[in-house]
Each structure stands twice: as structure tokens, then as C-alpha cells.
Amino acid sequence: MRPRHLALAVGLAAVWGFNFVVMQAGLRHFPPLLYAGLRFTLAGFPALLFVGRPGVAWRWVFAVAATIGVGQFGLLLVGMRAGMPAGLTSLILQIQALFTVVFAVTLLGERLSARRVIGLAIAFCGLALVAVDFTRTSHAAAPVVAFALCVAAAAAWGLGNVAQRKAAPPDSLRFMVWVSALSAPPLLLLSLTLEGVPSLASAASAEGWLSLLYVAFISTLGGFGVWGWLLRRYDASTVAPYTLLVPVFGMSSAALVTGEPFSWLKLAAAALIVAGVLYTNTRRRKAAVLQQEPALTR
């Protein structure tokens, strides 16, 4: 990867990591489901007027909107509002890569290799350490529920990843615009039903609206635009590992901006989760060479 493209990939991880601190700020001004609905409204409209059709079957757009748009972000923001800190949330969501493997094996019939089993075990040990550290420092029932909601959000993201893999969209930005547009109505309807009629006037602080603008345009549209641009130039196996930097930026920015504390147990958990995800999603060099040999002899 060229140096400027490498800097772009690292910068994207920083934008997505800092996104958790920004969402935490926004949740001080908006109810979680309303915040999610407004985010996808801004990201989806009027952008869909300029991007054209999604380029995949509509059932896959609806499936990803239901799992990632409504499921992941709805559960995630409700969990953060219930007491889940931003930095720790950015780490827990990395479990989505492992849920993706589990769902791909059960729903798509992909092979579960010994390497994947070991990687899953390592990462889930890290998740267990997070749970131990979180319950040790939180004595209320609400934070435990918040932790469970964030794990459920990671599971919803994993299910959405499988749907997106089946869809194989030719343009990730165009696809994300349509996913955003289709995610907004059910989230706003859920907000109206569960959170009541919103009072946007009382929430109209500069911090709240700037938070929405960041997550809608910089993190969602800008982030997925850069992501798609990188994927068009490099293999997914080259680009994807840089997402492991997201919790690094998420935890460090949360510590700097909000004063979220570090602990040795949390750092050990982060190391296990990142190592497990990385080990699960890489192949042994020898196996990769053997798979390439037939192509080299043709």
C-alpha cells in the first residue's frame, strides 16, 4: 500500500474510533433511537437522489438495513445511553468479526477451520475479561444490561455482514446510502413509539447537532466513501486489518476526551480480542502459497 493510502486507512480508523466519543456526546441531547434515525436520515437523504440504484437485489438492501441499520445501531446507542462507555464500546464491537464467522458457518455453510476455532476462543476469552472488568467496576444492573446490548449489537452487525457478503454490492458508498435511507423510517417509528414525540427544540444545542453532522456525513458517508475507494484499489485482505485500529483510537480518544479509565485487565482484553480477530481472519502463509500455485502454472 502506498504511503498516502496507508495514511488514509489509518486516518479512517481514527475517524471511526473517535466516532464513539462523538456518539456519546450526541446521546446527551437526543434519545438513542431518535439519534440513530436522524443519523440515517441525514446520511440517506438527499444523497440517494444522486447515487443511483444500489446495484443489488432489494432484498439484500432491506436485510442489511434491518440488521446493521436498525439492529446494530439501535442496540448500540440504547446500550451506550444505558451506561456503556465509548472506548469500551469500540472494543466490544470488534466481536462482530467473530459473529460474522459463526453466522457464515451456520447460514452459508462455510468451513470452520481449526485456525478459526482457535481465533474465536482467543477473542471470546478477551470478551470474558471485558465482562469481568466491567461487572467488577459497575455494581448497578443497568450497566450489565448495557454490556449485553452492545454484545447483541455486535451480533446484529455480524448477521448484517453475512447479508452484505451475499449482496456483494459493486459500490459500498452507494449501497450504504440506500441502507441509511431504508434504516431511517423504522428507527424513527420505533423512537416515536418507545421514546415519545421528540422535542428537537430542546435538543438543538450546538454539541448535539454537530455530533449528528459528524456521524452522518464524516463517519458514515465520508468513511464508507474512503473505504470503498480503498477496496477498489487493494484486496480486502490488505485493507480490512486496519479496522483493528478502530478500538485503539476509540479507547485512547475516550480516555483523552472523557477521562474514561484504563485498566490492565481492559488492556489485556483488548490484546486478546484484536489478536483473536486477526488470527481468525488471516491464513497461514504456506496455505496461501499452495492456493496460488495452480494460478501460477496456468
PDB file of all heavy atoms in Angstrom, residues 78-79 82-85 88 92 130-152:
ATOM      1  N   VAL A  78     -28.755   2.451  22.332  1.00  0.00           N
ATOM      2  CA  VAL A  78     -29.509   2.220  23.570  1.00  0.00           C
ATOM      3  C   VAL A  78     -28.561   1.744  24.670  1.00  0.00           C
ATOM      4  O   VAL A  78     -28.657   2.161  25.830  1.00  0.00           O
ATOM      5  CB  VAL A  78     -30.646   1.206  23.335  1.00  0.00           C
ATOM      6  CG1 VAL A  78     -31.294   0.808  24.667  1.00  0.00           C
ATOM      7  CG2 VAL A  78     -31.705   1.798  22.414  1.00  0.00           C
ATOM      8  N   GLY A  79     -27.614   0.866  24.300  1.00  0.00           N
ATOM      9  CA  GLY A  79     -26.632   0.389  25.273  1.00  0.00           C
ATOM     10  C   GLY A  79     -25.737   1.500  25.788  1.00  0.00           C
ATOM     11  O   GLY A  79     -25.447   1.589  26.980  1.00  0.00           O
ATOM     12  N   ALA A  82     -27.569   3.610  28.135  1.00  0.00           N
ATOM     13  CA  ALA A  82     -27.792   2.924  29.406  1.00  0.00           C
ATOM     14  C   ALA A  82     -26.554   2.888  30.294  1.00  0.00           C
ATOM     15  O   ALA A  82     -26.633   2.436  31.434  1.00  0.00           O
ATOM     16  CB  ALA A  82     -28.293   1.497  29.160  1.00  0.00           C
ATOM     17  N   GLY A  83     -25.405   3.334  29.778  1.00  0.00           N
ATOM     18  CA  GLY A  83     -24.223   3.423  30.631  1.00  0.00           C
ATOM     19  C   GLY A  83     -22.958   2.819  30.085  1.00  0.00           C
ATOM     20  O   GLY A  83     -21.943   2.772  30.783  1.00  0.00           O
ATOM     21  N   MET A  84     -22.968   2.351  28.829  1.00  0.00           N
ATOM     22  CA  MET A  84     -21.765   1.756  28.265  1.00  0.00           C
ATOM     23  C   MET A  84     -20.801   2.858  27.818  1.00  0.00           C
ATOM     24  O   MET A  84     -21.163   3.709  27.014  1.00  0.00           O
ATOM     25  CB  MET A  84     -22.138   0.880  27.068  1.00  0.00           C
ATOM     26  CG  MET A  84     -21.097  -0.128  26.704  1.00  0.00           C
ATOM     27  SD  MET A  84     -20.876  -1.362  27.978  1.00  0.00           S
ATOM     28  CE  MET A  84     -19.346  -2.071  27.426  1.00  0.00           C
ATOM     29  N   PRO A  85     -19.560   2.887  28.330  1.00  0.00           N
ATOM     30  CA  PRO A  85     -18.615   3.938  27.942  1.00  0.00           C
ATOM     31  C   PRO A  85     -18.151   3.786  26.500  1.00  0.00           C
ATOM     32  O   PRO A  85     -18.108   2.685  25.947  1.00  0.00           O
ATOM     33  CB  PRO A  85     -17.461   3.750  28.932  1.00  0.00           C
ATOM     34  CG  PRO A  85     -17.567   2.356  29.417  1.00  0.00           C
ATOM     35  CD  PRO A  85     -19.011   1.997  29.367  1.00  0.00           C
ATOM     36  N   LEU A  88     -14.846   1.486  25.638  1.00  0.00           N
ATOM     37  CA  LEU A  88     -15.098   0.054  25.800  1.00  0.00           C
ATOM     38  C   LEU A  88     -16.062  -0.453  24.729  1.00  0.00           C
ATOM     39  O   LEU A  88     -15.932  -1.579  24.238  1.00  0.00           O
ATOM     40  CB  LEU A  88     -15.661  -0.211  27.198  1.00  0.00           C
ATOM     41  CG  LEU A  88     -15.664  -1.655  27.683  1.00  0.00           C
ATOM     42  CD1 LEU A  88     -14.264  -2.237  27.662  1.00  0.00           C
ATOM     43  CD2 LEU A  88     -16.254  -1.736  29.089  1.00  0.00           C
ATOM     44  N   ILE A  92     -15.688  -3.726  22.231  1.00  0.00           N
ATOM     45  CA  ILE A  92     -16.634  -4.843  22.215  1.00  0.00           C
ATOM     46  C   ILE A  92     -17.184  -5.081  20.808  1.00  0.00           C
ATOM     47  O   ILE A  92     -17.393  -6.223  20.395  1.00  0.00           O
ATOM     48  CB  ILE A  92     -17.776  -4.586  23.214  1.00  0.00           C
ATOM     49  CG1 ILE A  92     -17.243  -4.691  24.644  1.00  0.00           C
ATOM     50  CG2 ILE A  92     -18.925  -5.576  23.025  1.00  0.00           C
ATOM     51  CD1 ILE A  92     -18.259  -4.324  25.695  1.00  0.00           C
ATOM     52  N   VAL A 130     -13.399  -8.548  29.474  1.00  0.00           N
ATOM     53  CA  VAL A 130     -14.129  -7.273  29.463  1.00  0.00           C
ATOM     54  C   VAL A 130     -15.326  -7.358  30.398  1.00  0.00           C
ATOM     55  O   VAL A 130     -15.596  -6.436  31.184  1.00  0.00           O
ATOM     56  CB  VAL A 130     -14.590  -6.919  28.033  1.00  0.00           C
ATOM     57  CG1 VAL A 130     -15.494  -5.687  28.059  1.00  0.00           C
ATOM     58  CG2 VAL A 130     -13.401  -6.646  27.140  1.00  0.00           C
ATOM     59  N   ALA A 131     -16.067  -8.465  30.313  1.00  0.00           N
ATOM     60  CA  ALA A 131     -17.242  -8.638  31.168  1.00  0.00           C
ATOM     61  C   ALA A 131     -16.848  -8.645  32.640  1.00  0.00           C
ATOM     62  O   ALA A 131     -17.521  -8.022  33.482  1.00  0.00           O
ATOM     63  CB  ALA A 131     -17.969  -9.935  30.805  1.00  0.00           C
ATOM     64  N   VAL A 132     -15.760  -9.347  32.974  1.00  0.00           N
ATOM     65  CA  VAL A 132     -15.297  -9.394  34.366  1.00  0.00           C
ATOM     66  C   VAL A 132     -14.907  -8.006  34.855  1.00  0.00           C
ATOM     67  O   VAL A 132     -15.304  -7.568  35.942  1.00  0.00           O
ATOM     68  CB  VAL A 132     -14.098 -10.358  34.499  1.00  0.00           C
ATOM     69  CG1 VAL A 132     -13.446 -10.219  35.876  1.00  0.00           C
ATOM     70  CG2 VAL A 132     -14.549 -11.797  34.278  1.00  0.00           C
ATOM     71  N   ASP A 133     -14.138  -7.281  34.027  1.00  0.00           N
ATOM     72  CA  ASP A 133     -13.704  -5.937  34.416  1.00  0.00           C
ATOM     73  C   ASP A 133     -14.884  -4.989  34.544  1.00  0.00           C
ATOM     74  O   ASP A 133     -14.950  -4.177  35.466  1.00  0.00           O
ATOM     75  CB  ASP A 133     -12.715  -5.399  33.380  1.00  0.00           C
ATOM     76  CG  ASP A 133     -12.163  -4.037  33.748  1.00  0.00           C
ATOM     77  OD1 ASP A 133     -11.491  -3.933  34.791  1.00  0.00           O
ATOM     78  OD2 ASP A 133     -12.410  -3.067  33.012  1.00  0.00           O
ATOM     79  N   PHE A 134     -15.854  -5.116  33.630  1.00  0.00           N
ATOM     80  CA  PHE A 134     -16.998  -4.208  33.635  1.00  0.00           C
ATOM     81  C   PHE A 134     -17.903  -4.466  34.832  1.00  0.00           C
ATOM     82  O   PHE A 134     -18.358  -3.535  35.495  1.00  0.00           O
ATOM     83  CB  PHE A 134     -17.775  -4.367  32.332  1.00  0.00           C
ATOM     84  CG  PHE A 134     -18.788  -3.279  32.099  1.00  0.00           C
ATOM     85  CD1 PHE A 134     -18.390  -1.956  32.006  1.00  0.00           C
ATOM     86  CD2 PHE A 134     -20.125  -3.585  31.970  1.00  0.00           C
ATOM     87  CE1 PHE A 134     -19.311  -0.943  31.785  1.00  0.00           C
ATOM     88  CE2 PHE A 134     -21.059  -2.586  31.746  1.00  0.00           C
ATOM     89  CZ  PHE A 134     -20.650  -1.261  31.652  1.00  0.00           C
ATOM     90  N   THR A 135     -18.179  -5.750  35.124  1.00  0.00           N
ATOM     91  CA  THR A 135     -19.035  -6.058  36.266  1.00  0.00           C
ATOM     92  C   THR A 135     -18.323  -5.779  37.591  1.00  0.00           C
ATOM     93  O   THR A 135     -18.955  -5.475  38.594  1.00  0.00           O
ATOM     94  CB  THR A 135     -19.490  -7.530  36.222  1.00  0.00           C
ATOM     95  OG1 THR A 135     -18.328  -8.373  36.121  1.00  0.00           O
ATOM     96  CG2 THR A 135     -20.390  -7.777  35.033  1.00  0.00           C
ATOM     97  N   ARG A 136     -16.974  -5.862  37.592  1.00  0.00           N
ATOM     98  CA  ARG A 136     -16.217  -5.570  38.813  1.00  0.00           C
ATOM     99  C   ARG A 136     -16.283  -4.096  39.171  1.00  0.00           C
ATOM    100  O   ARG A 136     -16.309  -3.727  40.356  1.00  0.00           O
ATOM    101  CB  ARG A 136     -14.764  -5.999  38.605  1.00  0.00           C
ATOM    102  CG  ARG A 136     -13.851  -5.784  39.810  1.00  0.00           C
ATOM    103  CD  ARG A 136     -12.465  -6.338  39.516  1.00  0.00           C
ATOM    104  NE  ARG A 136     -11.856  -5.708  38.344  1.00  0.00           N
ATOM    105  CZ  ARG A 136     -11.167  -4.567  38.410  1.00  0.00           C
ATOM    106  NH1 ARG A 136     -11.004  -3.950  39.564  1.00  0.00           N
ATOM    107  NH2 ARG A 136     -10.636  -4.058  37.310  1.00  0.00           N
ATOM    108  N   THR A 137     -16.326  -3.240  38.148  1.00  0.00           N
ATOM    109  CA  THR A 137     -16.328  -1.795  38.390  1.00  0.00           C
ATOM    110  C   THR A 137     -17.725  -1.195  38.351  1.00  0.00           C
ATOM    111  O   THR A 137     -17.897  -0.018  38.668  1.00  0.00           O
ATOM    112  CB  THR A 137     -15.462  -1.081  37.342  1.00  0.00           C
ATOM    113  OG1 THR A 137     -15.922  -1.416  36.032  1.00  0.00           O
ATOM    114  CG2 THR A 137     -14.001  -1.504  37.491  1.00  0.00           C
ATOM    115  N   SER A 138     -18.732  -1.978  37.944  1.00  0.00           N
ATOM    116  CA  SER A 138     -20.112  -1.484  37.878  1.00  0.00           C
ATOM    117  C   SER A 138     -20.985  -2.397  38.714  1.00  0.00           C
ATOM    118  O   SER A 138     -21.077  -3.584  38.449  1.00  0.00           O
ATOM    119  CB  SER A 138     -20.613  -1.464  36.432  1.00  0.00           C
ATOM    120  OG  SER A 138     -19.800  -0.626  35.647  1.00  0.00           O
ATOM    121  N   HIS A 139     -21.636  -1.810  39.698  1.00  0.00           N
ATOM    122  CA  HIS A 139     -22.456  -2.608  40.616  1.00  0.00           C
ATOM    123  C   HIS A 139     -23.941  -2.489  40.310  1.00  0.00           C
ATOM    124  O   HIS A 139     -24.747  -3.186  40.882  1.00  0.00           O
ATOM    125  CB  HIS A 139     -22.192  -2.178  42.055  1.00  0.00           C
ATOM    126  CG  HIS A 139     -20.744  -2.300  42.454  1.00  0.00           C
ATOM    127  ND1 HIS A 139     -20.126  -3.513  42.635  1.00  0.00           N
ATOM    128  CD2 HIS A 139     -19.789  -1.360  42.657  1.00  0.00           C
ATOM    129  CE1 HIS A 139     -18.845  -3.322  42.967  1.00  0.00           C
ATOM    130  NE2 HIS A 139     -18.620  -2.019  42.976  1.00  0.00           N
ATOM    131  N   ALA A 140     -24.303  -1.586  39.422  1.00  0.00           N
ATOM    132  CA  ALA A 140     -25.713  -1.433  39.091  1.00  0.00           C
ATOM    133  C   ALA A 140     -26.126  -2.425  38.014  1.00  0.00           C
ATOM    134  O   ALA A 140     -25.296  -2.910  37.247  1.00  0.00           O
ATOM    135  CB  ALA A 140     -25.990  -0.001  38.610  1.00  0.00           C
ATOM    136  N   ALA A 141     -27.434  -2.724  37.947  1.00  0.00           N
ATOM    137  CA  ALA A 141     -27.928  -3.663  36.947  1.00  0.00           C
ATOM    138  C   ALA A 141     -27.909  -3.039  35.556  1.00  0.00           C
ATOM    139  O   ALA A 141     -27.672  -3.727  34.568  1.00  0.00           O
ATOM    140  CB  ALA A 141     -29.348  -4.102  37.300  1.00  0.00           C
ATOM    141  N   ALA A 142     -28.146  -1.723  35.459  1.00  0.00           N
ATOM    142  CA  ALA A 142     -28.231  -1.059  34.159  1.00  0.00           C
ATOM    143  C   ALA A 142     -26.963  -1.221  33.323  1.00  0.00           C
ATOM    144  O   ALA A 142     -27.046  -1.547  32.137  1.00  0.00           O
ATOM    145  CB  ALA A 142     -28.580   0.417  34.339  1.00  0.00           C
ATOM    146  N   PRO A 143     -25.756  -1.013  33.903  1.00  0.00           N
ATOM    147  CA  PRO A 143     -24.555  -1.212  33.074  1.00  0.00           C
ATOM    148  C   PRO A 143     -24.389  -2.642  32.565  1.00  0.00           C
ATOM    149  O   PRO A 143     -23.838  -2.842  31.487  1.00  0.00           O
ATOM    150  CB  PRO A 143     -23.419  -0.818  34.025  1.00  0.00           C
ATOM    151  CG  PRO A 143     -24.034   0.145  34.964  1.00  0.00           C
ATOM    152  CD  PRO A 143     -25.418  -0.390  35.166  1.00  0.00           C
ATOM    153  N   VAL A 144     -24.849  -3.637  33.333  1.00  0.00           N
ATOM    154  CA  VAL A 144     -24.771  -5.023  32.871  1.00  0.00           C
ATOM    155  C   VAL A 144     -25.679  -5.206  31.659  1.00  0.00           C
ATOM    156  O   VAL A 144     -25.313  -5.851  30.671  1.00  0.00           O
ATOM    157  CB  VAL A 144     -25.146  -5.997  34.003  1.00  0.00           C
ATOM    158  CG1 VAL A 144     -25.154  -7.439  33.491  1.00  0.00           C
ATOM    159  CG2 VAL A 144     -24.186  -5.844  35.165  1.00  0.00           C
ATOM    160  N   VAL A 145     -26.870  -4.624  31.729  1.00  0.00           N
ATOM    161  CA  VAL A 145     -27.783  -4.659  30.586  1.00  0.00           C
ATOM    162  C   VAL A 145     -27.167  -3.923  29.397  1.00  0.00           C
ATOM    163  O   VAL A 145     -27.270  -4.363  28.248  1.00  0.00           O
ATOM    164  CB  VAL A 145     -29.141  -4.043  30.965  1.00  0.00           C
ATOM    165  CG1 VAL A 145     -30.049  -3.917  29.745  1.00  0.00           C
ATOM    166  CG2 VAL A 145     -29.816  -4.872  32.049  1.00  0.00           C
ATOM    167  N   ALA A 146     -26.497  -2.801  29.673  1.00  0.00           N
ATOM    168  CA  ALA A 146     -25.839  -2.038  28.620  1.00  0.00           C
ATOM    169  C   ALA A 146     -24.767  -2.866  27.922  1.00  0.00           C
ATOM    170  O   ALA A 146     -24.630  -2.835  26.698  1.00  0.00           O
ATOM    171  CB  ALA A 146     -25.231  -0.762  29.210  1.00  0.00           C
ATOM    172  N   PHE A 147     -24.007  -3.618  28.704  1.00  0.00           N
ATOM    173  CA  PHE A 147     -22.976  -4.503  28.148  1.00  0.00           C
ATOM    174  C   PHE A 147     -23.616  -5.548  27.235  1.00  0.00           C
ATOM    175  O   PHE A 147     -23.138  -5.788  26.113  1.00  0.00           O
ATOM    176  CB  PHE A 147     -22.217  -5.174  29.292  1.00  0.00           C
ATOM    177  CG  PHE A 147     -21.167  -6.157  28.842  1.00  0.00           C
ATOM    178  CD1 PHE A 147     -19.893  -5.725  28.523  1.00  0.00           C
ATOM    179  CD2 PHE A 147     -21.455  -7.507  28.747  1.00  0.00           C
ATOM    180  CE1 PHE A 147     -18.927  -6.621  28.101  1.00  0.00           C
ATOM    181  CE2 PHE A 147     -20.498  -8.410  28.336  1.00  0.00           C
ATOM    182  CZ  PHE A 147     -19.228  -7.966  28.018  1.00  0.00           C
ATOM    183  N   ALA A 148     -24.710  -6.162  27.689  1.00  0.00           N
ATOM    184  CA  ALA A 148     -25.391  -7.183  26.904  1.00  0.00           C
ATOM    185  C   ALA A 148     -25.948  -6.594  25.609  1.00  0.00           C
ATOM    186  O   ALA A 148     -25.909  -7.243  24.552  1.00  0.00           O
ATOM    187  CB  ALA A 148     -26.519  -7.804  27.721  1.00  0.00           C
ATOM    188  N   LEU A 149     -26.436  -5.357  25.651  1.00  0.00           N
ATOM    189  CA  LEU A 149     -26.967  -4.707  24.456  1.00  0.00           C
ATOM    190  C   LEU A 149     -25.867  -4.475  23.422  1.00  0.00           C
ATOM    191  O   LEU A 149     -26.085  -4.629  22.213  1.00  0.00           O
ATOM    192  CB  LEU A 149     -27.624  -3.378  24.828  1.00  0.00           C
ATOM    193  CG  LEU A 149     -28.992  -3.476  25.527  1.00  0.00           C
ATOM    194  CD1 LEU A 149     -29.398  -2.106  26.083  1.00  0.00           C
ATOM    195  CD2 LEU A 149     -30.059  -3.990  24.561  1.00  0.00           C
ATOM    196  N   CYS A 150     -24.674  -4.112  23.880  1.00  0.00           N
ATOM    197  CA  CYS A 150     -23.559  -3.886  22.957  1.00  0.00           C
ATOM    198  C   CYS A 150     -23.082  -5.196  22.326  1.00  0.00           C
ATOM    199  O   CYS A 150     -22.705  -5.222  21.150  1.00  0.00           O
ATOM    200  CB  CYS A 150     -22.415  -3.173  23.677  1.00  0.00           C
ATOM    201  SG  CYS A 150     -22.779  -1.438  24.008  1.00  0.00           S
ATOM    202  N   VAL A 151     -23.085  -6.276  23.082  1.00  0.00           N
ATOM    203  CA  VAL A 151     -22.747  -7.588  22.513  1.00  0.00           C
ATOM    204  C   VAL A 151     -23.803  -7.984  21.479  1.00  0.00           C
ATOM    205  O   VAL A 151     -23.479  -8.507  20.399  1.00  0.00           O
ATOM    206  CB  VAL A 151     -22.638  -8.649  23.627  1.00  0.00           C
ATOM    207  CG1 VAL A 151     -22.436 -10.043  23.018  1.00  0.00           C
ATOM    208  CG2 VAL A 151     -21.481  -8.323  24.564  1.00  0.00           C
ATOM    209  N   ALA A 152     -25.080  -7.724  21.802  1.00  0.00           N
ATOM    210  CA  ALA A 152     -26.153  -8.010  20.838  1.00  0.00           C
ATOM    211  C   ALA A 152     -25.996  -7.161  19.582  1.00  0.00           C
ATOM    212  O   ALA A 152     -26.275  -7.621  18.473  1.00  0.00           O
ATOM    213  CB  ALA A 152     -27.515  -7.757  21.487  1.00  0.00           C
TER     214      ALA A 152
END
